[in-house]
Amino acid sequence: MFEKVLAAKQRLNGYANKTPVMTSRTLNRLVGAEVFCKCENFQRVGAFKFRGAFNSISQLSPEEKQRGVITYSSGNHAQAVALVGNMLNIHTIIVMPQNAPVTKRAATEEYGATIVEYDPEKATREQIAHELQAHHGYTMIPPFDHEDVVAGQGTAALEMIEEIGQLDMLLVPCGGGGLLSGSAISAKAMSSTCKVIGIEPELADDATKSFHTKVLHSVKNPPTIADGTRTVSLGKITFPLVLQYVDDMKTVSEAAIIASVKFLFYRMKLVVEPSGALGVAAVLSKAVIPQGRVGIILSGGNIDAATMNMMLK
Amino acid sequence: MFEKVLAAKQRLNGYANKTPVMTSRTLNRLVGAEVFCKCENFQRVGAFKFRGAFNSISQLSPEEKQRGVITYSSGNHAQAVALVGNMLNIHTIIVMPQNAPVTKRAATEEYGATIVEYDPEKATREQIAHELQAHHGYTMIPPFDHEDVVAGQGTAALEMIEEIGQLDMLLVPCGGGGLLSGSAISAKAMSSTCKVIGIEPELADDATKSFHTKVLHSVKNPPTIADGTRTVSLGKITFPLVLQYVDDMKTVSEAAIIASVKFLFYRMKLVVEPSGALGVAAVLSKAVIPQGRVGIILSGGNIDAATMNMMLK
């Protein structure tokens, strides 16, 4: 799989942002290690999702591009697919629940995507998307369970290690496992002794359970503030990759997540969404005891006013 | 004066952060120019003030260092002096009003400074500071009206132009004029055709009036959200420097300042305090019509929860 990440890096060159790696003397002092934060909050659409969306969509055949692409998401993946469609002049259809936040819907429409609403009481987003796909011949770009999406997400860790050198530890947020498995593939190839640890909210610990029991667990609408990790479970492709490449999985409390968003805001002057702050939450709360040179992927920075106000109170 | 900025750069090497320059496709598109943001919110203590404090304090004689330094400030300059004192093992005394925000006082004390309170109804901070200075032999490090402070602040624009090349325009927040005059000295030396424009809140437009009339104007406790610009007036040293090196001064409304802090937060994922966002406010509100390659100094990122909550509402 690492060859696919290297190929993705070539494809993304000139399209994705090469995001900066930031450090903080205060953070290093508090956790007793040398921490490097890969700032995917500065990626296009404000999250790593652009990498996987561009890597997968840009590889479609001319006929597939002509027919258009579809996905289901109300979050960062939707915006990423919509932006890539806009850049490559491809029609994009995004299936969103009727009750999706207005701001997220607007951001996606701004990039020219067609939004298809559904009633979450009556159908799942996967059902609607697959029906539309079958009827119109759209290509499905799922949020994580796709090899080209995983390979694209893996370019963030690749870039970080190319820039700063060998790591002893790499902490990665885990929702559906696309970023985690892609990052682990890169880390194991580039820095073979690096321990890769996936971080989940305690309230959405399906992947942690799946990892430790080797049986797929799922959760339904977990009430975590880290909305990017509310996915039902790891996928058919990401679960085996996580088992193969990831060294450990740890969970963090909601309080630890909020404290880490505030630390990043007040001390590092970085806007990071709750899901994006899971790695920092792990080291600040001592869910992970960091050692040596520690990479942390800050996966995104899309946070709304209501969430921010709630956390700052 | 530019030789002093160059010397300051050498002195700061290895002590100050070389802060990144960030760009935004959205910002460029909105304003029709190529904008480069120098991120002094990522400077030590979260603001450019570290540069001037380090440059001035590090030049003191061993005897002066032994006696200690004093300043009056309840903001970023206080924290900068306290941190430099901590780094160089010099006793620092900060004169603050009794009603200074608890968080700012705590941040300054954290660096080991001695806080001296005064009653703003009964005395000015300058009076108290000068009395203590005379009695104990402390060296005064004023917030802006000092050649070595100005020279230190000028290193931010110097670094930016060294990194990104020639500019057509440079926008700089103006409080007491230390950052503005230092930046203008650097810009005129490094990029001679660059137009340097100081930006003030409409509610604290003393420097703009002073610039246009060539007579020093002052304001008293202007009710602007941009607390870093609430200084009474330009100084004895900074006023002539501003007249000599700055091309124009413009003002922005409180609404424009708030909109720019929010733009930086939501779109660029940067935490920037209201004073730090004045340059972005100027281009977004069209107080300045940007042309070509435009440098903007984001002067700091120290914002408290109350201010942030108020703005996000």
Side-chain angles (χ1 to χ4, degrees):
Chain A
M1 271 294 282
F2 185 56
E3 298 70 34
K4 286 186 188 263
V5 181
L6 290 171
K9 186 194 155 196
Q10 295 303 320
R11 244 171 247 124
L12 288 169
N13 188 22
Y15 295 97
N17 293 340
K18 191 169 176 305
T19 55
V21 176
M22 306 281 287
T23 59
S24 158
R25 290 175 188 82
T26 308
L27 181 58
N28 289 352
R29 183 168 46 76
L30 286 173
V31 307
E34 197 178 358
V35 179
F36 300 90
C37 295
K38 176 68 170 169
C39 292
E40 288 295 295
N41 55 331
F42 295 134
Q43 189 49 265
R44 299 187 77 164
V45 308
F48 73 95
K49 292 283 190 183
F50 179 82
R51 297 176 182 269
F54 189 91
N55 187 50
S56 49
I57 296 172
S58 65
Q59 292 185 64
L60 299 180
S61 70
E63 294 72 26
E64 288 169 324
K65 287 179 176 167
Q66 174 66 28
R67 286 197 296 270
V69 305
I70 188 166
T71 194
Y72 44 86
S73 165
S74 51
N76 294 331
H77 178 66
Q79 291 183 49
V81 167
L83 173 59
V84 173
N86 187 303
M87 291 164 71
L88 302 180
N89 201 21
I90 296 170
H91 182 204
T92 55
I93 298 93
I94 316 288
V95 180
M96 276 191 190
Q98 282 166 355
N99 57 359
V102 177
T103 51
K104 295 217 166 180
R105 191 188 155 123
T108 310
E109 282 180 318
E110 213 179 283
Y111 293 121
T114 301
I115 310 289
V116 175
E117 285 189 343
Y118 72 98
D119 180 348
E121 301 291 317
K122 294 187 182 158
T124 70
R125 59 187 194 172
E126 289 87 348
Q127 284 168 350
I128 305 288
H130 284 290
E131 276 171 32
L132 287 165
Q133 181 192 17
H135 192 260
H136 297 280
Y138 302 139
T139 300
M140 169 68 70
I141 305 292
F144 53 85
D145 209 25
H146 188 298
E147 275 204 354
D148 296 325
V149 173
V150 169
Q153 319 307 28
T155 59
L158 171 62
E159 264 179 30
M160 173 163 56
I161 298 169
E162 280 182 345
E163 181 177 334
I164 62 165
Q166 299 291 301
L167 291 174
D168 297 302
M169 202 177 257
L170 177 64
L171 307 184
V172 187
C174 180
L179 179 65
L180 175 56
S181 53
S183 302
I185 289 162
S186 289
K188 293 297 177 182
M190 306 262 308
S191 184
S192 57
T193 59
C194 176
K195 196 174 171 191
V196 179
I197 306 177
I199 313 294
E200 271 189 319
E202 280 171 17
L203 293 180
D205 64 347
D206 56 288
T208 304
K209 283 183 182 154
S210 303
F211 177 84
H212 289 301
T213 62
K214 299 191 167 45
V215 174
L216 190 66
H217 284 65
S218 61
V219 287
K220 197 176 173 193
N221 283 325
T224 174
I225 192 173
D227 55 354
T229 69
R230 288 186 199 138
T231 40
V232 175
S233 69
L234 294 171
K236 289 189 182 67
I237 290 167
T238 56
F239 184 30
L241 288 174
V242 165
L243 286 178
Q244 183 179 352
Y245 289 100
V246 173
D247 294 290
D248 204 354
M249 296 279 313
K250 295 285 183 185
T251 62
V252 291
S253 69
E254 295 297 294
I257 297 170
I258 292 172
S260 66
V261 172
K262 290 170 82 163
F263 179 87
L264 288 158
F265 180 92
Y266 286 119
R267 303 304 293 250
M268 293 183 69
K269 316 303 178 190
L270 295 172
V271 178
V272 179
E273 62 189 271
S275 307
L278 288 169
V280 173
V283 294
L284 284 179
S285 70
K286 305 198 192 303
V288 170
I289 305 300
Q291 288 176 319
R293 290 166 58 84
V294 178
I296 292 182
I297 299 188
L298 304 179
S299 58
N302 293 323
I303 192 164
D304 58 26
T307 307
M308 198 66 203
N309 274 310
M310 188 274 285
M311 283 191 292
L312 290 180
K313 256 171 202 136
Chain B
M1 270 294 281
F2 185 56
E3 297 71 33
K4 286 186 187 264
V5 181
L6 290 170
K9 187 194 157 197
Q10 295 304 320
R11 244 172 246 124
L12 288 168
N13 187 23
Y15 295 98
N17 293 340
K18 191 169 176 306
T19 54
V21 176
M22 307 280 288
T23 59
S24 158
R25 290 175 188 82
T26 307
L27 182 57
N28 290 351
R29 183 168 46 76
L30 286 173
V31 307
E34 197 177 0
V35 179
F36 300 89
C37 295
K38 176 68 170 170
C39 292
E40 288 295 295
N41 55 331
F42 295 134
Q43 189 49 267
R44 298 188 77 163
V45 309
F48 73 95
K49 292 283 190 183
F50 179 82
R51 297 176 183 270
F54 189 91
N55 187 49
S56 50
I57 297 172
S58 64
Q59 292 186 63
L60 298 180
S61 70
E63 294 71 26
E64 288 169 324
K65 287 178 176 168
Q66 174 67 26
R67 286 198 296 270
V69 305
I70 188 166
T71 194
Y72 44 87
S73 164
S74 52
N76 294 332
H77 178 67
Q79 290 183 50
V81 167
L83 173 58
V84 173
N86 187 303
M87 291 164 71
L88 302 180
N89 201 22
I90 296 170
H91 183 206
T92 55
I93 298 93
I94 315 289
V95 179
M96 276 192 190
Q98 281 165 355
N99 57 359
V102 176
T103 51
K104 296 218 165 177
R105 189 186 158 125
T108 310
E109 283 180 319
E110 214 178 280
Y111 293 122
T114 301
I115 310 289
V116 175
E117 286 187 343
Y118 72 99
D119 180 348
E121 301 291 317
K122 295 188 180 156
T124 70
R125 58 188 196 172
E126 290 86 349
Q127 283 169 349
I128 306 288
H130 284 290
E131 275 172 32
L132 287 166
Q133 181 192 15
H135 192 259
H136 296 280
Y138 302 139
T139 300
M140 170 69 68
I141 305 293
F144 53 85
D145 209 25
H146 187 297
E147 276 205 354
D148 296 325
V149 173
V150 169
Q153 319 306 29
T155 59
L158 171 62
E159 264 179 29
M160 174 163 56
I161 298 169
E162 281 182 342
E163 180 177 336
I164 62 164
Q166 298 291 303
L167 290 174
D168 297 302
M169 201 177 258
L170 177 64
L171 307 185
V172 187
C174 180
L179 180 64
L180 175 56
S181 53
S183 301
I185 289 163
S186 289
K188 292 298 176 182
M190 305 263 308
S191 183
S192 57
T193 59
C194 176
K195 195 174 171 191
V196 179
I197 306 178
I199 313 295
E200 271 190 319
E202 280 171 18
L203 293 180
D205 65 348
D206 57 287
T208 304
K209 283 183 182 153
S210 304
F211 177 82
H212 290 300
T213 61
K214 299 189 167 47
V215 175
L216 190 66
H217 283 66
S218 62
V219 287
K220 196 176 172 191
N221 282 325
T224 174
I225 192 172
D227 56 352
T229 69
R230 289 187 200 139
T231 40
V232 175
S233 69
L234 295 171
K236 290 191 180 67
I237 290 166
T238 56
F239 184 31
L241 288 174
V242 165
L243 286 178
Q244 183 178 352
Y245 289 101
V246 173
D247 294 289
D248 204 356
M249 296 278 315
K250 295 284 184 185
T251 62
V252 291
S253 69
E254 296 296 296
I257 297 170
I258 292 172
S260 67
V261 172
K262 290 169 84 163
F263 179 87
L264 287 158
F265 180 91
Y266 286 118
R267 302 305 293 249
M268 293 183 69
K269 316 303 178 190
L270 295 171
V271 178
V272 178
E273 62 188 274
S275 308
L278 288 169
V280 172
V283 295
L284 284 179
S285 71
K286 305 197 193 303
V288 170
I289 305 299
Q291 287 176 318
R293 291 165 58 83
V294 179
I296 292 182
I297 299 188
L298 304 179
S299 57
N302 293 324
I303 191 164
D304 59 25
T307 307
M308 197 67 203
N309 274 310
M310 188 275 283
M311 283 191 291
L312 290 180
K313 253 171 205 136

